[in-house]
Amino acid sequence: MGKKDKKSKTAEQKARVAAKQEKKAAQKEKKGKSKGTPDSDADDVDLEAIREDNTGGHDQQAQFLKITESPCDPPSARSSATLIGSPSSSAELLLFGGEYYNGALASFYNDLFVYLIEKDQWRKVTSPNSPLPRSGHAWTRSLAGDVYLFGGEFSSPKQGTFYHYNDFWKLNPSTREWTRIESKKGPPARSGHRMTYFKQYIVLFGGFQDTSQATKYLQDLWIYDTHTYTWFNPVLPPATQKPDPRSSFSFHPHEAGAVLYGGYSRVKGATGSTSKQSKSGGNQVGARSVLKPVVHQDTWFLRIIPPAAEAPPSTPPSVRWERRKKPVNSPNPSRAGATQAYHKGRGIMFGGVHDVEASEEGMDSEFFDTLFAWNIERNRFFQLTLRRPRTVNAKRAAIDDRGSKKGRGKLDEEELLRNLAALEAKSGSVDTPMTMDLDNNDGHHNHPEEENTPPPPSSKPKLFTLPHPRFNAQLAVQDDVLYIFGGTYESGGREYTFDEMWCVNLGKMDGVTEIFRREVEGWVGSDDDGSSGSEGDEDDEEMSEDEDMEEAGVLLPVVEDRPAEFKATLPAKVEEDEEAEGVAETNAADTRPHPRPFENLRDFFTRTSVAWQDLILESLRSGGD
């Protein structure tokens, strides 16, 4: 599931790795295996020296450079970055920061990228004054049209030492200019927090602090007044309800304040037992205290009441947390790393991971590719599904007239029999084989003039299945279009950071468009060395992973619907195993069309009518020979 020495990029990943290490500790001690890889950064570069070098580089940059913007390739693979629709232009997206971990070393970024939607171009911004490299930070827009950023984390390359930021920045999305906001009193350093806006206020809540030895989750609330340039830390009465400490939650604006959903944390709990012999000869049994992961599914409303107009400018707003009922139709099972983007009173949620403690060797994980819309006012989740474009023809009109399901099935059978009879009658006079499109699900023939016509330059590959399951993808909505950047997937003890971006039109839901996609880079670190099985056992375990995920209800990509060149790609080893298994199954499989799971008779006949006709024609030809 994770690496023994890996420090994950988010609190969820860190918790899962720690739980796995605890499970394997007893087994490793029994087998007496010594580990040659140190858990510390003994040979690593000093973290403070790295930060001082970065600061010095900023000073030199400020002397010689101005704000520049130049065309570039899409951003490299990264996780825990931030993506937002530009408040100044509906045709731009902004992406900042992030980190990439290849199993051995971690790299952090402070690049600011601009994606020009209409031109399908990426631009890289260089600035004399920009935040230092980081990940796990948070940013939000304001009503005035600026973007505010706070916090984040940075680590040494081997992730033995962590540093959390407490700096506060403002980005002008039009000029691309960064401005650091100095304040005497502000939130303490953190990462994994969330920010949103209300009127002239910037609202910040939660997050965590990681000291490499322990992780502390936060539940403090901070409000920044963009008019008076002042931070407020509202102090609530002790008896007042408020959300538990957490990170990686969803935080959306509301006309009367803000709303919060979900999140992740770890709480102390007693599990298992430890026994030791007492002086009297008996055994004393006690519970062992551990940190248990908690995936929150509660919702809260933060009511914010601005001060009266006649109040002094330094008067803070009044705030009150109000607990809401559990959302209706919330995703089941609960999942961490399911990110949301705000869109017209809804939270659009994608992906996530659900960890199941299966054995002493670690945890099984289910990854999701489902898309939900959380209606904030109704506090209800709705699953969003893609809709294939429908072709209106005479057959559809006849089906609509006949109405019943039995009538539709009979009509399909009659049409198939008529086509087969026509082919049989013409088979004796056919001198050249007919060219039919066996992969066309609508059963239409390919016309030569259509095949020779190149696609328009502005067209992008479009799929009718959502991107590969993942968690912690970066989401943003701009002009009713959802953009999905990156994300993480884990398989066979390896971690894959997707190097791609997709978009979905939330109004039409007519497919998933590929913005860019590159091969996922290989994992530099070794496979999970905590397992004691043979290599053959590991291969069998990897090859059966998809079957286990299907049994658990995970929606895996449908290979038949997804063109081979557009499949989400994993590194060579996993790809080769899947290809070898697919070839073996294809050779032994029946070549005739078969119904897909949950496919009705009408869709089956529509999809396979051409294939059946071709099989009959081939059979007639072979019989004639």
Side-chain angles (χ1 to χ4, degrees):
M1 241 291 301
K3 299 308 300 170
K4 178 177 69 66
D5 300 320
K6 182 183 74 173
K7 298 294 190 298
S8 301
K9 291 173 280 300
T10 62
E12 296 97 320
Q13 293 170 283
K14 294 174 185 176
R16 291 157 56 209
V17 172
K20 179 180 179 181
Q21 291 174 352
E22 293 174 1
K23 282 291 183 181
K24 293 182 178 179
Q27 183 177 3
K28 291 178 182 178
E29 291 176 0
K30 291 180 181 179
K31 295 179 179 179
K33 291 185 178 180
S34 61
K35 303 301 178 183
T37 304
D39 291 332
S40 63
D41 267 330
D43 299 330
D44 206 355
V45 181
D46 182 68
L47 183 61
E48 292 298 327
I50 297 176
R51 296 189 61 252
E52 290 177 2
D53 291 343
N54 287 331
T55 305
H58 272 61
D59 295 338
Q60 296 177 5
Q61 190 181 28
Q63 297 176 11
F64 301 105
L65 297 180
K66 297 181 180 180
I67 299 176
T68 61
E69 184 175 323
S70 57
C72 65
D73 293 331
S76 60
R78 61 192 64 196
S79 63
S80 301
T82 47
L83 180 70
I84 194 174
S86 174
S88 63
S89 172
S90 61
E92 293 180 352
L93 295 177
L94 304 175
L95 184 142
F96 176 78
E99 66 171 298
Y100 178 74
Y101 182 69
N102 63 1
L105 300 176
S107 301
F108 290 78
Y109 307 99
N110 67 335
D111 305 322
L112 175 63
F113 290 93
V114 180
Y115 177 61
L116 306 180
I117 299 174
E118 296 178 353
K119 298 181 180 181
D120 188 27
Q121 293 180 358
W122 287 93
R123 301 289 182 90
K124 185 176 181 179
V125 179
T126 58
S127 173
N129 184 34
S130 62
L132 293 174
R134 67 191 64 202
S135 68
H137 50 281
W139 68 2
T140 184
R141 68 182 65 200
S142 68
L143 288 181
D146 296 315
V147 177
Y148 289 85
L149 180 148
F150 181 86
E153 69 178 54
F154 178 80
S155 79
S156 54
K158 295 181 183 178
Q159 296 193 335
T161 307
F162 285 84
Y163 178 85
H164 289 266
Y165 294 99
N166 66 340
D167 50 352
F168 190 42
W169 295 81
K170 182 179 74 171
L171 172 66
N172 186 318
S174 299
T175 64
R176 325 296 196 205
E177 180 180 4
W178 287 101
T179 303
R180 180 164 182 172
I181 301 176
E182 303 289 349
S183 57
K184 295 181 180 180
K185 183 180 179 182
R190 68 191 65 201
S191 61
H193 52 290
R194 295 293 183 265
M195 298 168 61
T196 189
Y197 63 93
F198 171 73
K199 296 186 181 298
Q200 78 267 27
Y201 302 110
I202 302 297
V203 187
L204 182 151
F205 178 77
F208 69 93
Q209 296 174 338
D210 190 349
T211 62
S212 297
Q213 288 79 26
T215 301
K216 178 183 178 182
Y217 290 88
L218 307 173
Q219 63 177 154
D220 52 342
L221 175 68
W222 292 82
I223 298 178
Y224 178 77
D225 192 334
T226 59
H227 292 174
T228 61
Y229 312 104
T230 307
W231 280 105
F232 300 106
N233 179 211
V235 179
L236 303 177
T240 304
Q241 283 189 334
K242 59 182 178 180
D244 296 329
R246 67 189 70 195
S247 69
S248 303
F249 50 92
S250 299
F251 208 28
H252 299 306
H254 189 272
E255 60 181 8
V259 288
L260 180 152
Y261 169 77
Y264 179 90
S265 65
R266 299 181 71 197
V267 298
K268 291 183 179 181
T271 183
S273 62
T274 58
S275 61
K276 61 180 180 179
Q277 189 172 6
S278 63
K279 295 182 180 180
S280 59
N283 290 332
Q284 295 179 346
V285 179
R288 181 165 54 95
S289 178
V290 297
L291 291 177
K292 292 185 176 181
V294 176
V295 178
H296 300 274
Q297 291 185 287
D298 52 347
T299 59
W300 293 80
F301 172 63
L302 176 63
R303 188 175 299 277
I304 304 177
I305 304 175
E310 61 274 9
S314 59
T315 304
S318 301
V319 299
R320 183 175 71 251
W321 284 106
E322 300 175 3
R323 188 184 183 101
R324 305 179 71 185
K325 295 181 179 180
K326 183 179 177 180
V328 181
N329 298 332
S330 57
N332 186 32
S334 60
R335 56 202 67 180
T339 49
Q340 289 193 20
Y342 181 76
H343 175 246
K344 295 181 178 179
R346 304 183 301 171
I348 308 300
M349 186 175 79
F350 176 73
V353 58
H354 176 71
D355 291 331
V356 180
E357 192 170 349
S359 65
E360 294 183 354
E361 295 185 357
M363 289 181 291
D364 264 345
S365 297
E366 301 176 16
F367 294 86
F368 300 92
D369 62 351
T370 46
L371 190 65
F372 288 91
W374 174 41
N375 187 302
I376 295 176
E377 288 296 333
R378 299 176 59 184
N379 199 20
R380 177 186 291 268
F381 277 91
F382 300 89
Q383 184 170 351
L384 303 179
T385 56
L386 301 176
R387 297 191 291 266
R388 289 181 176 271
R390 296 182 178 180
T391 57
V392 180
N393 50 32
K395 176 186 172 182
R396 291 292 180 185
I399 291 177
D400 294 338
D401 293 340
R402 299 185 66 162
S404 66
K405 184 181 296 185
K406 182 178 179 180
R408 292 195 299 267
K410 186 175 181 181
L411 181 62
D412 289 326
E413 294 178 9
E414 292 174 355
E415 182 182 5
L416 179 58
L417 292 175
R418 286 196 302 270
N419 292 337
L420 293 178
L423 287 172
E424 184 176 3
K426 297 178 181 180
S427 61
S429 60
V430 175
D431 296 329
T432 58
M434 297 177 62
T435 301
M436 298 185 181
D437 183 11
L438 298 183
D439 296 327
N440 192 331
N441 291 347
D442 293 332
H444 301 300
H445 298 276
N446 279 343
H447 299 286
E449 61 272 17
E450 293 180 357
E451 294 179 346
N452 297 331
T453 303
S458 60
S459 65
K460 286 283 189 176
K462 182 172 288 189
L463 308 179
F464 291 96
T465 55
L466 290 167
H468 193 280
R470 66 194 69 194
F471 69 102
N472 284 342
Q474 284 78 61
L475 305 183
V477 177
Q478 186 73 304
D479 199 19
D480 295 334
V481 177
L482 171 69
Y483 294 87
I484 304 174
F485 177 86
T488 306
Y489 179 78
E490 295 178 354
S491 174
R494 300 185 180 187
E495 179 181 303
Y496 307 117
T497 302
F498 289 100
D499 192 4
E500 60 190 29
M501 189 165 88
W502 308 84
C503 69
V504 182
N505 189 312
L506 296 175
K508 299 180 180 179
M509 295 298 296
D510 58 347
V512 181
T513 302
E514 174 189 304
I515 303 298
F516 77 90
R517 186 187 64 85
R518 293 181 293 230
E519 299 294 325
V520 178
E521 295 185 7
W523 181 257
V524 176
S526 60
D527 285 341
D528 194 351
D529 52 6
S531 59
S532 59
S534 63
E535 294 183 359
D537 294 338
E538 293 178 357
D539 293 339
D540 294 341
E541 189 173 320
E542 289 184 13
M543 293 176 64
S544 62
E545 181 182 11
D546 286 349
E547 298 177 1
D548 295 339
M549 293 172 67
E550 289 178 351
E551 292 177 1
V554 180
L555 300 178
L556 296 175
V558 181
V559 179
E560 295 174 324
D561 287 348
R562 189 186 298 258
E565 61 271 24
F566 302 145
K567 287 198 307 179
T569 55
L570 298 179
K573 181 180 178 181
V574 179
E575 191 78 14
E576 291 172 1
D577 291 344
E578 293 178 353
E579 289 179 358
E581 183 180 357
V583 170
E585 291 179 355
T586 303
N587 293 336
D590 190 353
T591 58
R592 294 175 300 177
H594 292 276
R596 294 173 181 170
F598 309 108
E599 185 177 36
N600 57 40
L601 187 62
R602 180 187 62 179
D603 293 340
F604 172 68
F605 278 124
T606 301
R607 178 175 61 85
T608 62
S609 59
V610 175
W612 283 110
Q613 295 170 19
D614 194 61
L615 287 173
I616 293 296
L617 185 61
E618 185 66 25
S619 176
L620 292 173
R621 290 194 186 120
S622 60
D625 296 339

